[in-house]
Amino acid sequence: MFNDRGEMLYIGKAKNLKKRLSSYFRRSAPHAKVVALVSQIAKIEILITETENQALLLENNLIKKYRPKFNVLFRDDKSYPFIFVSADEYPRVDFHRGAKAKTGNYFGPYPSSGAVRQTINFLQKVFKIRTCQNSFFKNRSRPCIQYQIKRCTAPCVKYIEKENYNQSIALVKLFLQGKDKQIMELLGGKMQQAAKDLAYEKA
């Protein structure tokens, strides 16, 4: 959303664009900040993505780049949340807000804590990486429930080699950088090789 000077006011995403936009233009606006936003809108631009996850990443990257006035106001001056990938021997992926004091990589900012948790949940399903705290990780003698429900490869008890686990972390970082095409190429190559080796379940 832009004002009449071409300044970006707000960036948002929606599965149902008509429903989302109409919510801003109702007579009984839910919040004074929404009324202030609507009063300044001169132009709306729309970008279409193939998936919800692509829309989430695009929204995050655009907010980070342009810092639109009303995205900041709607946050009520709270710091934006990030996704943190630690620099541990077996890195963990975690929710982060506040000072970036820990060693590792920070991805974001995200528009809400819900967006961060949704993304981490997706990463667990696809890449099976750990999200547990180090104190929990270091004291395991057997895999936790995350391994049982196939959301982690149990690096805590060495069920996966360090090199293979870190390959998954590398894919996580590519995804969080918006490089999903590279991921598809890498995984596609592995799939074809597994099929050639007759490892159909792995493929």
Side-chain angles (χ1 to χ4, degrees):
M1 296 175 179
F2 298 84
N3 63 18
D4 56 7
R5 296 186 299 277
E7 297 168 340
M8 194 177 293
L9 298 172
Y10 181 72
I11 296 169
K13 64 176 174 59
K15 189 185 266 188
N16 185 326
L17 191 60
K18 181 179 178 181
K19 184 177 179 181
R20 176 70 186 274
L21 284 175
S22 65
S23 70
Y24 288 101
F25 293 94
R26 290 179 188 142
R27 290 185 178 180
S28 55
H31 201 288
K33 289 176 184 176
V34 175
V35 176
L37 168 62
V38 170
S39 70
Q40 296 181 46
I41 296 171
K43 182 177 70 171
I44 296 174
E45 286 187 1
I46 299 166
L47 296 172
I48 299 173
T49 61
E50 293 181 4
T51 67
E52 286 185 69
N53 283 309
Q54 285 179 355
L56 182 63
L57 283 172
L58 179 61
E59 180 192 36
N60 295 334
N61 290 335
L62 290 176
I63 290 173
K64 181 179 181 180
K65 183 176 181 179
Y66 295 107
R67 299 283 293 175
K69 175 182 177 181
F70 281 90
N71 285 93
V72 175
L73 286 175
F74 288 167
R75 285 291 307 155
D76 293 326
D77 296 327
K78 294 177 183 176
S79 61
Y80 282 93
F82 287 75
I83 288 178
F84 173 66
V85 180
S86 73
D88 297 307
E89 183 180 9
Y90 291 91
R92 65 186 174 87
V93 177
D94 200 4
F95 176 99
H96 177 84
R97 177 178 274 145
K100 298 174 184 175
K102 300 175 184 176
T103 304
N105 298 108
Y106 295 84
F107 299 91
Y110 282 74
S112 68
S113 59
V116 171
R117 299 191 194 288
Q118 178 186 345
T119 304
I120 291 176
N121 184 48
F122 172 79
L123 294 174
Q124 281 185 284
K125 285 181 180 179
V126 176
F127 301 110
K128 299 177 174 58
I129 37 79
R130 79 176 183 99
T131 58
C132 59
Q133 296 297 316
N134 287 344
S135 57
F136 182 83
F137 177 81
K138 291 175 181 177
N139 291 297
R140 299 299 302 174
S141 58
R142 59 180 181 177
C144 70
I145 188 66
Q146 295 299 320
Y147 174 79
Q148 305 297 335
I149 62 175
K150 298 183 179 180
R151 286 176 174 248
C152 183
T153 47
C156 55
V157 290
K158 305 297 189 293
Y159 275 23
I160 182 173
E161 293 181 9
K162 181 181 175 180
E163 182 182 352
N164 291 337
Y165 181 82
N166 284 328
Q167 285 178 2
S168 295
I169 290 294
L171 292 175
V172 165
K173 290 179 180 179
L174 284 175
F175 176 82
L176 293 173
Q177 291 166 0
K179 298 177 180 178
D180 49 320
K181 288 184 179 179
Q182 280 184 248
I183 295 173
M184 294 302 291
E185 289 173 3
L186 287 167
L187 294 182
K190 288 186 176 182
M191 183 181 73
Q192 290 176 10
Q193 185 59 52
K196 285 180 182 178
D197 297 338
L198 306 182
Y200 298 117
E201 186 176 348
K202 184 178 179 181

